[in-house]
Amino acid sequence: MRYLDKTAIENISIGAAFLGTGGGGDPYIGKLMAISAIEQNGPVRLYSVDEIADEDFFIPTAMMGAPSVSSEKFPNGSEFVKVFQKLSRYLGKDNIAGTYPMEAGGVNSMIPIVVAAQLGLPLVDCDGMGRAFPELQMVTFNLDGVPATPMAITDEKGNIGIFETIDNKWTERLARAVTVEMGASALVSLYPTTGAQMKTSGVHGIVTLSEQIGEIIASKNRDAKDKLEELLQLVSGYELFQGKIVDVIRETKGGFNLGRMNLEGIEGHKGGNMDVHFQNENLVAEKDGRVVAMTPDLICLVDFETLSPITTESLKYGKRVRVIGLPAHEKWRTAKGIETAGPKYFGYDYEYVPLEKLVNKAVTDHV
Amino acid sequence: MRYLDKTAIENISIGAAFLGTGGGGDPYIGKLMAISAIEQNGPVRLYSVDEIADEDFFIPTAMMGAPSVSSEKFPNGSEFVKVFQKLSRYLGKDNIAGTYPMEAGGVNSMIPIVVAAQLGLPLVDCDGMGRAFPELQMVTFNLDGVPATPMAITDEKGNIGIFETIDNKWTERLARAVTVEMGASALVSLYPTTGAQMKTSGVHGIVTLSEQIGEIIASKNRDAKDKLEELLQLVSGYELFQGKIVDVIRETKGGFNLGRMNLEGIEGHKGGNMDVHFQNENLVAEKDGRVVAMTPDLICLVDFETLSPITTESLKYGKRVRVIGLPAHEKWRTAKGIETAGPKYFGYDYEYVPLEKLVNKAVTDHV
């Protein structure tokens, strides 16, 4: 057990934006809320999964919908607590042992910290993605057959829904329909899980990893190259491209931010070109027409100089960026993981090839 | 209190199809289920609202969505009981005193009989419309500020939702989105009400009125004119047109059946023409380009010879029909009633004029 203070939250929010792979929502407002919550209630306890009891119950809380909308109509902290409590009451449990992020990437890294601080509960160093993903069934718990429901869904106006579904894709379908009707953004509490389930099916240590990523990116008086090297080593990542944003096409549709951006090579990649496709999160990167990284592996855009993570909502013409690829957690690289969140699920008609192989192939081709 | 036997159910289903004003779903399959349920469990007790206790709780059950779809994927009786019990458990009440139709018109007249028979509960002679209407807030209880939620919604696959909303239009919005996702048809249990609320805000005696309408229409060895006269007297109605269906345009959209039919005058109306617009239910009738009846008043199509009610799903080219107008229940003719279910709500840009006035004006014009 250790305490998360203001500095820890600052760093986690940066690491979470990085792991958000463009989506997951900008953690900025969430960070302010989390800091305010610990200033009022004291620092939050962070437990590793080894420290929690198998039979205890934990409930995550998150935002659902198009990140571009959630940052426009951001709820207040009490609403996160409300959806959490709605689900715990529906479950008939008043002894929920703690909370944790369902999605460590993006704003959903911060919401459980707000809930933990306000309710005096611990946060667990675990999530269900190891990154951000756009749909509710894209969760490692789902891969192991843990039900997403009962779930609670609320909006900032005070409407409340509860679902119990026959499978987790139906959870996604019904909750998405309600999210769209609620204005393309909603608060959800779902995947109520035991400590044992989190030990078996969660992505462990992700809050700490986010913090470490954030520490590197936030560190002062170091040049980009030096920081990048340390970052890539920490996450076993690759720099895929250095480019300037020359085109972005996007729309908000069906409760998602959908689109594609085009980058023109700079520095080491002059003359080259990269397309990045996204549905909330970056899903596929094509370099000079050839796929170099694909979901469920992570495709992260960072500022060329500062390495600050860039969300799809803040893509700007002319911005100079680095594109970084990270291997997904091993749970996503199983047959079930690829079926659930691989390229074919998102409508790209090719087989999943791990990032490392694609990168090495590209290197070989160059020789 | 009296018992509803098989003959009563047969007649209620005919009267309910009439009051369904084209929508509300064909009660045919519902009737078979209701008869089967009383054959297995004995006749259902029907209480008048005067016979129920003010402090007792009652829960209606209904189908929601496009009637054309509900008749294709009709649920079995246990599913109606399930949604009823889901809501009563959510309310924390295991002593629900009875059930009643939220909508007396169409298939939703039969569903509460199935629930009543299966659970051994009484049915109350009351509904929340006095007819059929397409949306959840178009209920007399809503006019008096009774909340539609908590509500339960289920599908035939086993998915379950519960809503608590800030107002009854939000209930309609969220439940409609889920209904569409569930395949344009769902089972709902909503407007949990006390006996006192039903006395104040319900439409009383509607089950008995349906039965009486059904008795007239089903009566043998009488000519159409004679039966029609008795029917019009019972419901204070008017025969608006005698015609042949020459055109029907319809589509299933947003969980509704939408469309328009055109009738060519026959018999007493030769040379004339009528357009009837519908959204599940018939909403506006225009005779020779002039409105002669409009929602919330009832526009009912019946077979020219037998007076059997005709639903919008069964409209057939060449069919000879009579169009009958009925004044809506007085609760619908208040300012709140007209705002909730009058022509403007449905996008027709004119003021509501009561049926009697429109009919008398037409008569005057002819002189």
Side-chain angles (χ1 to χ4, degrees):
Chain A
M1 196 278 286
R2 63 188 176 96
Y3 287 97
L4 297 182
D5 60 8
K6 189 180 156 187
T7 308
I9 290 172
E10 296 266 7
N11 288 329
I12 292 168
S13 80
I14 297 169
F18 182 79
L19 294 174
T21 67
D26 186 345
Y28 180 72
I29 305 171
K31 180 188 79 177
L32 298 184
M33 289 177 63
I35 290 172
S36 157
I38 66 157
E39 280 173 356
Q40 279 173 42
N41 305 282
V44 160
R45 288 165 289 159
L46 180 72
Y47 283 28
S48 76
V49 287
D50 304 328
E51 294 171 313
I52 62 175
D54 282 2
E55 61 280 11
D56 277 350
F57 264 90
F58 298 84
I59 296 182
T61 302
M63 289 187 79
M64 174 166 185
S68 64
V69 177
S70 25
S71 54
E72 276 168 30
K73 53 167 202 167
F74 210 83
N76 62 51
S78 71
E79 289 163 350
F80 301 134
V81 169
K82 187 176 163 193
V83 72
F84 178 95
Q85 289 178 327
K86 191 75 206 171
L87 182 57
S88 61
R89 270 198 301 274
Y90 186 76
L91 292 166
K93 294 185 193 302
D94 52 8
N95 58 345
I96 301 297
T99 187
Y100 66 102
M102 183 44 50
E103 171 181 70
V107 67
N108 285 334
S109 61
M110 293 290 118
I111 291 170
I113 299 178
V114 176
V115 173
Q118 292 200 1
L119 294 178
L121 290 174
L123 186 77
V124 186
D125 196 353
C126 164
D127 87 335
M129 295 187 182
R131 48 166 294 165
F133 267 131
E135 299 184 10
L136 296 185
Q137 78 282 8
M138 296 175 176
V139 167
T140 51
F141 294 99
N142 175 53
L143 303 181
D144 287 346
V146 176
T149 63
M151 81 167 281
I153 183 166
T154 65
D155 63 17
E156 78 289 355
K157 293 173 282 293
N159 293 304
I160 299 166
I162 288 168
F163 289 111
E164 290 182 61
T165 58
I166 52 171
D167 62 39
N168 296 344
K169 275 194 91 167
W170 270 106
T171 319
E172 163 65 24
R173 287 182 64 168
L174 300 183
R176 185 71 51 186
V178 166
T179 298
V180 169
E181 201 61 35
M182 283 177 166
S185 176
L187 309 174
V188 295
S189 208
L190 71 173
Y191 285 101
T193 30
T194 62
Q197 286 172 320
M198 293 164 72
K199 287 172 192 181
T200 307
S201 307
V203 176
H204 303 164
I206 193 73
V207 175
T208 299
L209 179 65
S210 304
E211 189 179 0
Q212 290 166 339
I213 294 169
E215 276 167 3
I216 295 169
I217 294 174
S219 58
K220 308 279 183 205
N221 306 320
R222 295 171 63 188
D223 69 4
K225 210 177 150 187
D226 180 37
K227 281 161 67 168
L228 181 64
E229 202 168 299
E230 194 183 342
L231 177 62
L232 295 180
Q233 196 159 13
L234 175 67
V235 296
S236 309
Y238 301 88
E239 188 183 47
L240 301 174
F241 200 66
Q242 301 169 335
K244 194 175 71 174
I245 298 171
V246 291
D247 195 21
V248 185
I249 299 166
R250 60 184 145 194
E251 58 175 334
T252 302
K253 195 174 160 184
F256 294 112
N257 291 136
L258 296 167
R260 183 177 61 73
M261 71 189 100
N262 183 253
L263 312 174
E264 201 177 86
I266 54 171
E267 306 283 332
H269 293 89
K270 258 187 189 149
N273 200 282
M274 179 169 276
D275 269 324
V276 180
H277 301 258
F278 55 86
Q279 175 181 331
N280 290 6
E281 284 72 39
N282 301 322
L283 295 177
V284 169
E286 291 172 343
K287 188 172 160 188
D288 302 326
R290 198 177 61 189
V291 176
V292 291
M294 62 177 96
T295 179
D297 291 329
L298 288 75
I299 300 164
C300 311
L301 262 73
V302 297
D303 182 89
F304 190 80
E305 297 298 341
T306 67
L307 306 192
S308 285
I310 298 167
T311 61
T312 47
E313 303 107 85
S314 61
L315 294 171
K316 277 195 194 77
Y317 179 86
K319 191 165 181 65
R320 288 154 50 92
V321 303
R322 295 173 195 267
V323 182
I324 296 172
L326 272 68
H329 188 277
E330 59 190 12
K331 287 180 188 291
W332 289 118
R333 292 178 157 203
T334 60
K336 184 85 194 283
I338 293 163
E339 183 196 325
T340 303
K344 288 200 175 167
Y345 181 85
F346 290 101
Y348 301 98
D349 192 23
Y350 35 70
E351 300 299 328
Y352 169 70
V353 181
L355 176 69
E356 309 85 282
K357 281 199 186 164
L358 289 171
V359 170
N360 288 331
K361 185 166 185 306
V363 172
T364 317
D365 288 356
H366 270 284
V367 175
Chain B
M1 196 278 285
R2 62 187 177 97
Y3 287 97
L4 297 181
D5 59 9
K6 191 181 154 189
T7 308
I9 291 172
E10 296 267 7
N11 288 328
I12 293 167
S13 80
I14 297 169
F18 182 79
L19 294 174
T21 66
D26 185 345
Y28 180 72
I29 305 172
K31 181 189 78 176
L32 297 184
M33 289 177 61
I35 289 172
S36 158
I38 66 156
E39 279 172 358
Q40 280 173 41
N41 305 283
V44 161
R45 288 165 290 159
L46 180 72
Y47 283 28
S48 76
V49 287
D50 304 328
E51 294 171 314
I52 61 175
D54 281 3
E55 61 279 12
D56 276 351
F57 263 91
F58 299 84
I59 297 182
T61 302
M63 290 187 79
M64 173 167 185
S68 63
V69 177
S70 27
S71 54
E72 277 169 29
K73 53 166 202 166
F74 210 84
N76 62 52
S78 70
E79 287 161 353
F80 301 136
V81 169
K82 188 177 162 192
V83 72
F84 178 96
Q85 290 179 327
K86 192 74 207 173
L87 182 57
S88 60
R89 271 199 300 274
Y90 187 76
L91 292 166
K93 294 188 192 302
D94 50 9
N95 58 345
I96 301 298
T99 186
Y100 66 103
M102 183 42 51
E103 171 180 69
V107 68
N108 285 335
S109 61
M110 293 290 119
I111 291 170
I113 299 178
V114 177
V115 173
Q118 292 200 1
L119 294 178
L121 290 173
L123 186 77
V124 186
D125 196 353
C126 163
D127 87 335
M129 295 186 181
R131 49 166 296 165
F133 267 132
E135 299 185 8
L136 296 185
Q137 77 282 9
M138 296 174 176
V139 167
T140 51
F141 294 100
N142 175 51
L143 303 181
D144 287 345
V146 176
T149 64
M151 81 168 280
I153 182 166
T154 65
D155 63 18
E156 77 290 354
K157 293 174 281 294
N159 293 304
I160 298 166
I162 287 168
F163 289 112
E164 290 181 60
T165 58
I166 52 171
D167 62 39
N168 297 344
K169 275 194 90 165
W170 271 104
T171 319
E172 163 64 25
R173 287 181 64 166
L174 300 183
R176 185 70 51 184
V178 166
T179 297
V180 169
E181 201 61 36
M182 283 177 167
S185 176
L187 309 174
V188 295
S189 209
L190 71 174
Y191 285 101
T193 31
T194 62
Q197 286 172 321
M198 291 163 72
K199 287 173 191 180
T200 308
S201 307
V203 176
H204 303 163
I206 193 73
V207 176
T208 298
L209 179 66
S210 305
E211 191 179 357
Q212 291 166 340
I213 295 168
E215 276 168 3
I216 295 170
I217 294 173
S219 59
K220 306 282 182 204
N221 306 320
R222 296 171 63 189
D223 69 4
K225 213 176 149 186
D226 181 37
K227 281 161 68 169
L228 182 64
E229 203 169 297
E230 194 183 345
L231 177 62
L232 295 180
Q233 196 161 12
L234 176 67
V235 298
S236 309
Y238 301 87
E239 188 183 44
L240 301 174
F241 201 65
Q242 300 168 336
K244 194 175 71 174
I245 299 172
V246 292
D247 196 21
V248 185
I249 298 166
R250 60 184 147 194
E251 57 175 334
T252 302
K253 195 173 160 185
F256 295 112
N257 291 135
L258 296 168
R260 183 178 61 74
M261 72 190 101
N262 183 254
L263 310 176
E264 201 177 85
I266 53 171
E267 306 284 332
H269 294 87
K270 258 188 190 150
N273 199 282
M274 179 170 276
D275 268 324
V276 179
H277 302 257
F278 54 88
Q279 176 181 331
N280 290 6
E281 285 70 41
N282 300 324
L283 296 176
V284 169
E286 291 171 344
K287 188 172 158 188
D288 302 326
R290 196 178 61 188
V291 176
V292 290
M294 61 177 96
T295 179
D297 291 329
L298 289 75
I299 300 163
C300 310
L301 261 72
V302 297
D303 182 89
F304 190 80
E305 297 298 340
T306 67
L307 306 192
S308 284
I310 298 166
T311 60
T312 46
E313 304 107 82
S314 60
L315 294 171
K316 276 194 195 77
Y317 179 85
K319 194 167 180 62
R320 288 154 52 92
V321 303
R322 295 173 195 265
V323 182
I324 296 172
L326 271 65
H329 188 277
E330 59 190 11
K331 288 179 187 290
W332 290 119
R333 292 178 156 203
T334 59
K336 184 84 194 284
I338 293 163
E339 183 196 327
T340 304
K344 288 201 175 165
Y345 180 85
F346 289 102
Y348 301 97
D349 192 24
Y350 34 70
E351 300 299 330
Y352 169 70
V353 181
L355 176 68
E356 309 85 283
K357 283 199 187 165
L358 289 171
V359 170
N360 288 331
K361 184 166 185 307
V363 172
T364 317
D365 289 358
H366 269 283
V367 174

